Amino acid sequence: MMKKVSFELIIPGIIVACIGLLIAKLVSGIYFFYVCYAILQMIALAAAWNILGGYTGYVNFGIGGFFAAGAYTSIVLLKYYEVNFLVAILAAGTVSGILGLLIGYLSIRVRGIYFSISTIAVSTILQMVVLNTPFLGGAKGFKIIRPPAFPPFSNYIEFLFLLILLISFFAVAVSRLIEKSWIGRSFLAIKDSEQAAETSGVATLKLKILATVVSCALMGIAGAPYPYFITLLEPYSAMGLTLGTYAFAAVFVGGRGCWFGPIIGAVLLGGLQQSVTVMISSEWNILVVGLVIIAFVLLAPNGVVGLLKGRKKPVLLKKKDRV
Amino acid sequence: MALLEMKKISKSFGFPALQNVDLSIDAGDRIGLIGPNGSGKTTLTNIITGLIACDDGQVIFENRDITKLSAHRRSRLGIARTFQIPQPFYSLIVRQNLYIPLRCRLKSEEAMFTEAGRLLDLVGLSDKADGLPSDLTQIEQRELELARALALSPRLLILDEVLAGLTSQEIDGALEILRVICESGVTVIMIEHIMKAVMGFCNKIVVLNSGMKIAEGMPEDIFRNPEVERAYLGE
Ligand SMILES: Nc1ncnc2c1ncn2[C@@H]1O[C@H](COP(=O)(O)OP(=O)(O)O)[C@@H](O)[C@H]1O
Ligand SMILES: [Mg+2]
């Protein structure tokens, strides 16, 4: 096990970090790093969502809430207690993981759409808490001044880029480790039939809670550097539906239940979003992305991965087959 | 010594689905559980396997009270079942469907591969091992149900209408497989409407009607019982 973890996490992690550093050295434009940050953050969130939603089939609509819980934890610790960034990241993961544990217990009683609606409630409750707590910035939020760049970086955004690169790598690697193990197989069994999984010896409750905690903790971790990226952390944008919807859409476009689906989806959607914003306008961007999502839902419900594998036929074709 | 004992099992879904059902099954028994549709056979199966809790009564397996035990723990004790409507794991290939229960008793992937191969061979699905369950026919999906249940290496196997829809020849083939399974020391509860199969296979029959056990005994005696006849004629 330890050997597997070091081969799948530590060594590739070091390689990814080196590549990230190299990119930071070679590329000088700031805009490039902003775009990469947005896409990498989407990859991290999508990969995290996929662990619960893609494998076990429990659809969590509260991405924004768990992400924001991480972002707020990290900014509070960094601003008021001046902790190390790594500590802030770990704390962000812990707080969101604990929130995930609560949601996990929900999954004992409620399934399907009822579970999903409950996750929205978590987001909304968090928003209310932040709005009414001056310590957490209230409605005004936190205005963040980025620290000066430090070597080897020539700009703080390069450091943030490296950070989110490693976080998204970590989220994808964890998802891949799970997928390749008996745990991932059991998650899929839970998605297909909880009853059959249970009577086949799968401890479904324990595994569902594991999936929720890991998934939500990773969302929190993805949110930890966000305050420094956005520089104004306020409850409406951080917890709004936009971030979560994009991550959610990235999984659908890329392909659910497959570790590289979120990467494909986030790169496609993020790339599209950025190029439409640059070439046309940011209003069009939402429309175009929306159309792409609808097209995928109708024509390729299993995303790009589903198209590549070509196993399951899309909905429209299936209907024709039936006639 | 009884392998499974059910004492005064009751379950209500707003109406009494099971009332004071007693059942005692010895190791090596081949029980036929019959009764009209809606008489509570599947509900009884759910209570034995732990998928639903009974309102009242006790379930005792190998002298151990398992009334409060979760379903996955019971399956690890050796209680296996098939589902009336097949519930394959659609996201996994056929072979991997068996890996889920096999992991309860085997550690390495190689061992699981070999054992899955043996079980698929037994039910006649070897050539579909690498396919998806969605590509299987209804009957093949039932064979997969059976193989998946057997993968637990069960002490008690509950078959919920596995023979439905089979032709007479296919039934004979299936009963052959079930005899092999019984000879390897598995106790079987067979829920079935096909009387030919029940009569040919079981050594004891239990009849449910409207959630009550109305008869129990040797196959020959059961079909001379007027109450059983009435239950079936009323259908
Ligand atoms: N989960 C449930 N909730 C409510 N009613 C149920 C449930 N399961 C079964 N029933 C009802 O209990 C009765 C017995 O069902 P069942 O055990 O499936 O019968 P059988 O398997 O003998 O055909 C039926 O009337 C059925 O509708
Ligand atoms: Mg039934």
Side-chain angles (χ1 to χ4, degrees), chain B residues 46-63:
Chain B
N46 286 339
I47 288 172
I48 298 173
T49 52
L51 284 182
I52 61 176
C54 51
D55 301 336
D56 242 320
Q58 258 185 320
V59 185
I60 292 162
F61 184 69
E62 292 186 315
N63 280 334

mmCIF file of all heavy atoms in Angstrom, chain B residues 46-63:
data_model
loop_
_atom_site.group_PDB
_atom_site.id
_atom_site.type_symbol
_atom_site.label_atom_id
_atom_site.label_comp_id
_atom_site.label_asym_id
_atom_site.label_seq_id
_atom_site.Cartn_x
_atom_site.Cartn_y
_atom_site.Cartn_z
ATOM 1 N N ASN B 46 -36.083 -10.618 2.310
ATOM 2 C CA ASN B 46 -35.449 -9.370 2.730
ATOM 3 C C ASN B 46 -35.159 -9.368 4.226
ATOM 4 O O ASN B 46 -34.165 -8.788 4.671
ATOM 5 C CB ASN B 46 -36.341 -8.178 2.377
ATOM 6 C CG ASN B 46 -36.330 -7.898 0.883
ATOM 7 O OD1 ASN B 46 -35.411 -8.299 0.184
ATOM 8 N ND2 ASN B 46 -37.365 -7.228 0.396
ATOM 9 N N ILE B 47 -36.022 -10.006 4.988
ATOM 10 C CA ILE B 47 -35.801 -10.043 6.438
ATOM 11 C C ILE B 47 -34.679 -11.017 6.792
ATOM 12 O O ILE B 47 -33.854 -10.738 7.662
ATOM 13 C CB ILE B 47 -37.124 -10.385 7.165
ATOM 14 C CG1 ILE B 47 -38.063 -9.173 7.076
ATOM 15 C CG2 ILE B 47 -36.867 -10.760 8.619
ATOM 16 C CD1 ILE B 47 -39.453 -9.428 7.585
ATOM 17 N N ILE B 48 -34.609 -12.125 6.082
ATOM 18 C CA ILE B 48 -33.520 -13.076 6.348
ATOM 19 C C ILE B 48 -32.170 -12.451 5.983
ATOM 20 O O ILE B 48 -31.196 -12.576 6.708
ATOM 21 C CB ILE B 48 -33.716 -14.392 5.550
ATOM 22 C CG1 ILE B 48 -35.019 -15.080 5.969
ATOM 23 C CG2 ILE B 48 -32.527 -15.332 5.773
ATOM 24 C CD1 ILE B 48 -35.373 -16.297 5.125
ATOM 25 N N THR B 49 -32.136 -11.744 4.847
ATOM 26 C CA THR B 49 -30.859 -11.186 4.398
ATOM 27 C C THR B 49 -30.531 -9.860 5.089
ATOM 28 O O THR B 49 -29.405 -9.376 4.973
ATOM 29 C CB THR B 49 -30.850 -10.946 2.875
ATOM 30 O OG1 THR B 49 -32.005 -10.178 2.534
ATOM 31 C CG2 THR B 49 -30.866 -12.245 2.116
ATOM 32 N N GLY B 50 -31.509 -9.279 5.776
ATOM 33 C CA GLY B 50 -31.224 -8.062 6.529
ATOM 34 C C GLY B 50 -31.447 -6.781 5.757
ATOM 35 O O GLY B 50 -31.089 -5.707 6.226
ATOM 36 N N LEU B 51 -32.047 -6.855 4.579
ATOM 37 C CA LEU B 51 -32.296 -5.626 3.820
ATOM 38 C C LEU B 51 -33.407 -4.806 4.442
ATOM 39 O O LEU B 51 -33.421 -3.584 4.331
ATOM 40 C CB LEU B 51 -32.634 -5.950 2.357
ATOM 41 C CG LEU B 51 -31.446 -6.352 1.496
ATOM 42 C CD1 LEU B 51 -31.889 -6.589 0.070
ATOM 43 C CD2 LEU B 51 -30.351 -5.293 1.524
ATOM 44 N N ILE B 52 -34.370 -5.494 5.064
ATOM 45 C CA ILE B 52 -35.341 -4.747 5.863
ATOM 46 C C ILE B 52 -35.397 -5.378 7.250
ATOM 47 O O ILE B 52 -35.085 -6.554 7.427
ATOM 48 C CB ILE B 52 -36.760 -4.700 5.225
ATOM 49 C CG1 ILE B 52 -37.344 -6.089 5.075
ATOM 50 C CG2 ILE B 52 -36.752 -3.990 3.902
ATOM 51 C CD1 ILE B 52 -38.770 -6.086 4.557
ATOM 52 N N ALA B 53 -35.752 -4.563 8.225
ATOM 53 C CA ALA B 53 -35.836 -5.057 9.601
ATOM 54 C C ALA B 53 -37.260 -5.531 9.856
ATOM 55 O O ALA B 53 -38.205 -4.943 9.345
ATOM 56 C CB ALA B 53 -35.472 -3.945 10.566
ATOM 57 N N CYS B 54 -37.397 -6.601 10.632
ATOM 58 C CA CYS B 54 -38.750 -7.037 10.979
ATOM 59 C C CYS B 54 -39.245 -6.203 12.162
ATOM 60 O O CYS B 54 -38.454 -5.669 12.931
ATOM 61 C CB CYS B 54 -38.776 -8.528 11.296
ATOM 62 S SG CYS B 54 -37.557 -9.048 12.497
ATOM 63 N N ASP B 55 -40.551 -6.066 12.281
ATOM 64 C CA ASP B 55 -41.111 -5.304 13.397
ATOM 65 C C ASP B 55 -41.020 -6.127 14.674
ATOM 66 O O ASP B 55 -40.863 -5.596 15.765
ATOM 67 C CB ASP B 55 -42.588 -4.970 13.129
ATOM 68 C CG ASP B 55 -42.759 -4.158 11.863
ATOM 69 O OD1 ASP B 55 -41.788 -3.487 11.474
ATOM 70 O OD2 ASP B 55 -43.853 -4.204 11.263
ATOM 71 N N ASP B 56 -41.138 -7.423 14.503
ATOM 72 C CA ASP B 56 -41.207 -8.318 15.647
ATOM 73 C C ASP B 56 -40.607 -9.647 15.275
ATOM 74 O O ASP B 56 -40.686 -10.048 14.121
ATOM 75 C CB ASP B 56 -42.687 -8.542 16.028
ATOM 76 C CG ASP B 56 -42.946 -8.036 17.423
ATOM 77 O OD1 ASP B 56 -42.075 -8.251 18.275
ATOM 78 O OD2 ASP B 56 -44.005 -7.402 17.629
ATOM 79 N N GLY B 57 -40.049 -10.326 16.246
ATOM 80 C CA GLY B 57 -39.533 -11.663 15.994
ATOM 81 C C GLY B 57 -38.017 -11.713 16.007
ATOM 82 O O GLY B 57 -37.350 -10.704 16.246
ATOM 83 N N GLN B 58 -37.514 -12.892 15.754
ATOM 84 C CA GLN B 58 -36.086 -13.135 15.868
ATOM 85 C C GLN B 58 -35.603 -13.944 14.677
ATOM 86 O O GLN B 58 -36.291 -14.851 14.205
ATOM 87 C CB GLN B 58 -35.824 -13.982 17.113
ATOM 88 C CG GLN B 58 -35.292 -13.209 18.300
ATOM 89 C CD GLN B 58 -34.952 -14.157 19.419
ATOM 90 O OE1 GLN B 58 -35.677 -15.118 19.672
ATOM 91 N NE2 GLN B 58 -33.848 -13.904 20.087
ATOM 92 N N VAL B 59 -34.403 -13.603 14.207
ATOM 93 C CA VAL B 59 -33.768 -14.402 13.158
ATOM 94 C C VAL B 59 -32.506 -15.004 13.762
ATOM 95 O O VAL B 59 -31.650 -14.271 14.282
ATOM 96 C CB VAL B 59 -33.394 -13.542 11.940
ATOM 97 C CG1 VAL B 59 -32.856 -14.426 10.819
ATOM 98 C CG2 VAL B 59 -34.581 -12.734 11.456
ATOM 99 N N ILE B 60 -32.418 -16.328 13.739
ATOM 100 C CA ILE B 60 -31.256 -16.983 14.337
ATOM 101 C C ILE B 60 -30.561 -17.820 13.273
ATOM 102 O O ILE B 60 -31.187 -18.643 12.612
ATOM 103 C CB ILE B 60 -31.683 -17.836 15.542
ATOM 104 C CG1 ILE B 60 -32.148 -16.887 16.655
ATOM 105 C CG2 ILE B 60 -30.526 -18.702 16.035
ATOM 106 C CD1 ILE B 60 -32.957 -17.549 17.692
ATOM 107 N N PHE B 61 -29.276 -17.542 13.107
ATOM 108 C CA PHE B 61 -28.505 -18.248 12.076
ATOM 109 C C PHE B 61 -27.326 -18.929 12.759
ATOM 110 O O PHE B 61 -26.539 -18.274 13.436
ATOM 111 C CB PHE B 61 -28.034 -17.245 11.027
ATOM 112 C CG PHE B 61 -27.320 -17.869 9.860
ATOM 113 C CD1 PHE B 61 -28.007 -18.650 8.939
ATOM 114 C CD2 PHE B 61 -25.952 -17.683 9.689
ATOM 115 C CE1 PHE B 61 -27.348 -19.217 7.857
ATOM 116 C CE2 PHE B 61 -25.293 -18.248 8.612
ATOM 117 C CZ PHE B 61 -25.993 -19.021 7.693
ATOM 118 N N GLU B 62 -27.226 -20.220 12.587
ATOM 119 C CA GLU B 62 -26.165 -21.005 13.226
ATOM 120 C C GLU B 62 -26.046 -20.654 14.705
ATOM 121 O O GLU B 62 -24.955 -20.358 15.203
ATOM 122 C CB GLU B 62 -24.832 -20.785 12.504
ATOM 123 C CG GLU B 62 -24.847 -21.375 11.098
ATOM 124 C CD GLU B 62 -23.500 -21.316 10.397
ATOM 125 O OE1 GLU B 62 -22.862 -20.244 10.458
ATOM 126 O OE2 GLU B 62 -23.111 -22.320 9.800
ATOM 127 N N ASN B 63 -27.186 -20.687 15.386
ATOM 128 C CA ASN B 63 -27.259 -20.444 16.835
ATOM 129 C C ASN B 63 -26.899 -19.031 17.261
ATOM 130 O O ASN B 63 -26.631 -18.785 18.433
ATOM 131 C CB ASN B 63 -26.342 -21.415 17.600
ATOM 132 C CG ASN B 63 -27.001 -22.762 17.745
ATOM 133 O OD1 ASN B 63 -28.229 -22.861 17.734
ATOM 134 N ND2 ASN B 63 -26.195 -23.796 17.856
#
